[in-house]
Amino acid sequence: MFLPLLAVVGAVTVAVDARNWWEAVVLAAGVVATLVAFVRWAADDLLPVAPATLAVTAAVWAFGALAGDGRMAFFGISFVGALVVPKLSRWRGWAAVALAGYVAAVGAARMLVSHQEVPEILIRYVLIPTGVTVVVVGFMFPNKRFYDIVAELEEAREREAELAVIRERVRFAGDLHDIQGHTLHVVKLKTALARKLVDSDAERAKQELREIHDLVSDTITQTKELAYAQRRLNLSAELENARNLFEAAGIDVRVDREADVDQRVGELLGQVLRETTTNILRHAQATQVRIALSASSISIVNDGAKRAPVPELRGLAALAQRVAANGGELSVDQHDGEFRTAAVFPNGAEAPG
């Protein structure tokens, strides 16, 4: 956003100070060095080019003050110095003093090569350039601290979001263990019993094997339902879990519950909430989430939508088919930076199948 403005200021500086084409070239070199420094500063990669940009802009100021009539030629060294000094790991105070001292000393040296009045030189080439340099450098110190804090907060938020996703995976692993751990233990006991009965009571052994077969089939079904978010869910538990996950990720969450949810649709609404929660944690850059519940609907709105078409959400797409099969409608849309997921059962729907 500031790059075009910086380029315009640089162009004005060249236009005001240059008396011929070669002075314009020298002054333009300072402007280019300033723009390069700003671009690298914005990319947090300034220090590798700092020596070169400082040298160029310092030379341009010396040229403007001593060889030309460039009272605005300090623009480059003041701005580049203000970007570089706060980036230093130490001696920043001394570096700021040295920068201001160099600008003042070069401006004062004009008195040795110019026939202008001393007060005029002091004002145009010493006081104004040095004052501007001090102000810009002073502004950049708190500005850098502000950006550092923002970067730290963003990094902490990303870590919290990753942790929230990890917690969700652990919860999924716990559900999977609940399904399969018990089944495998029972299968082990029944298999051992069938082996003992195979010679003494063949019919009882066959019965045990049939129960093992049914148990394994049921476990396979439950595992598929868990993988596709179709396992029977408790909406209240899912709501509390979503709140905990969002808060852990540093996302402000607000829940508006207009009425108790119809038990016939509570399970499907819980699945919508779980899938949407996972999508927000993994794909959005949300800071706020609003969850609204009525007797037969749910709406989840987050402010982390990207300025792009609505992305393909495979999990919600599959869930939308199941919602539709039970008389409801699931929709997603985004507007003004907000992404909204909503599921509604106009007539209360039939019990989910």
Side-chain angles (χ1 to χ4, degrees), residues 6-340:
L6 197 61
V8 170
V9 173
V12 171
T13 300
V14 174
V16 170
D17 286 348
R19 296 175 298 182
N20 49 57
W21 68 268
W22 59 271
E23 286 189 3
V25 171
V26 174
L27 295 173
V31 174
V32 171
T34 303
L35 296 177
V36 169
F38 179 76
V39 170
R40 296 295 289 269
W41 174 83
D44 199 22
D45 191 31
L46 173 61
L47 293 182
V49 300
T53 53
L54 281 173
V56 171
T57 52
V60 169
W61 171 227
F63 168 83
L66 303 177
D69 190 24
R71 60 180 180 271
M72 298 294 294
F74 71 89
F75 159 75
I77 184 62
S78 297
F79 193 82
V80 174
L83 296 178
V84 172
V85 169
K87 288 283 189 180
L88 301 178
S89 58
R90 55 181 181 174
W91 310 115
R92 287 178 291 184
W94 287 108
V97 171
L99 176 67
Y102 173 80
V103 173
V106 170
R110 183 172 177 81
M111 290 185 290
L112 302 176
V113 299
S114 174
H115 299 294
Q116 291 175 283
E117 296 292 331
V118 171
E120 182 182 359
I121 292 176
L122 288 176
I123 293 174
R124 290 188 174 185
Y125 290 89
V126 179
L127 295 181
I128 292 177
T130 305
V132 171
T133 301
V134 170
V135 170
V136 175
V137 172
F139 172 76
M140 288 303 296
F141 272 100
N143 186 60
K144 178 183 182 299
R145 181 55 186 159
F146 170 76
Y147 279 108
D148 287 345
I149 292 174
V150 171
E152 291 171 4
L153 290 175
E154 181 63 23
E155 184 178 351
R157 181 184 176 281
E158 290 177 357
R159 287 198 299 267
E160 289 293 341
E162 291 175 358
L163 181 60
V165 172
I166 291 173
R167 287 174 177 169
E168 177 66 12
R169 290 174 178 172
V170 170
R171 189 169 73 95
F172 179 89
D175 289 344
L176 187 62
H177 178 269
D178 290 343
I179 293 173
Q180 296 189 349
H182 174 74
T183 299
L184 293 174
H185 184 68
V186 173
V187 166
K188 178 181 178 181
L189 295 177
K190 285 185 170 292
T191 301
L193 178 60
R195 288 179 60 186
K196 292 180 180 180
L197 295 174
V198 70
D199 294 325
S200 59
D201 191 345
E203 288 301 320
R204 176 74 185 279
K206 291 179 181 179
Q207 178 63 28
E208 293 295 334
L209 290 175
R210 283 193 293 268
E211 291 181 4
I212 291 173
H213 180 272
D214 293 341
L215 184 60
V216 171
S217 298
D218 183 59
T219 301
I220 291 173
T221 300
Q222 290 186 52
T223 302
K224 288 181 178 179
E225 291 175 348
L226 177 63
Y228 291 99
Q230 295 176 347
R231 192 182 178 212
R232 293 190 177 275
L233 303 176
N234 182 294
L235 179 58
S236 296
E238 285 301 313
L239 190 61
E240 185 63 24
N241 179 68
R243 187 199 301 271
N244 293 336
L245 287 173
F246 288 138
E247 290 178 349
I251 300 173
D252 182 60
V253 57
R254 188 181 75 196
V255 179
D256 298 320
R257 198 162 188 168
E258 300 176 5
D260 291 333
V261 176
D262 191 327
Q263 293 183 356
R264 294 175 297 173
V265 299
E267 183 183 333
L268 280 174
L269 297 183
Q271 291 173 17
V272 173
L273 177 59
R274 174 184 281 194
E275 181 66 23
T276 304
T277 299
T278 302
N279 287 338
I280 293 173
L281 292 174
R282 290 180 176 174
H283 305 301
Q285 301 294 321
T287 60
Q288 293 183 334
V289 173
R290 302 192 306 274
I291 302 172
L293 281 168
S294 70
S296 58
S297 69
I298 188 170
S299 172
I300 306 105
V301 179
N302 76 84
D303 62 355
K306 299 179 180 179
R307 300 291 183 180
V310 178
E312 180 182 2
L313 301 174
R314 297 181 180 178
L316 285 177
L319 191 53
Q321 296 179 2
R322 189 158 186 253
V323 170
N326 287 275
E329 180 182 0
L330 189 149
S331 62
V332 296
D333 61 82
Q334 62 184 37
H335 181 68
D336 290 338
E338 290 190 337
F339 193 97
R340 178 176 178 270

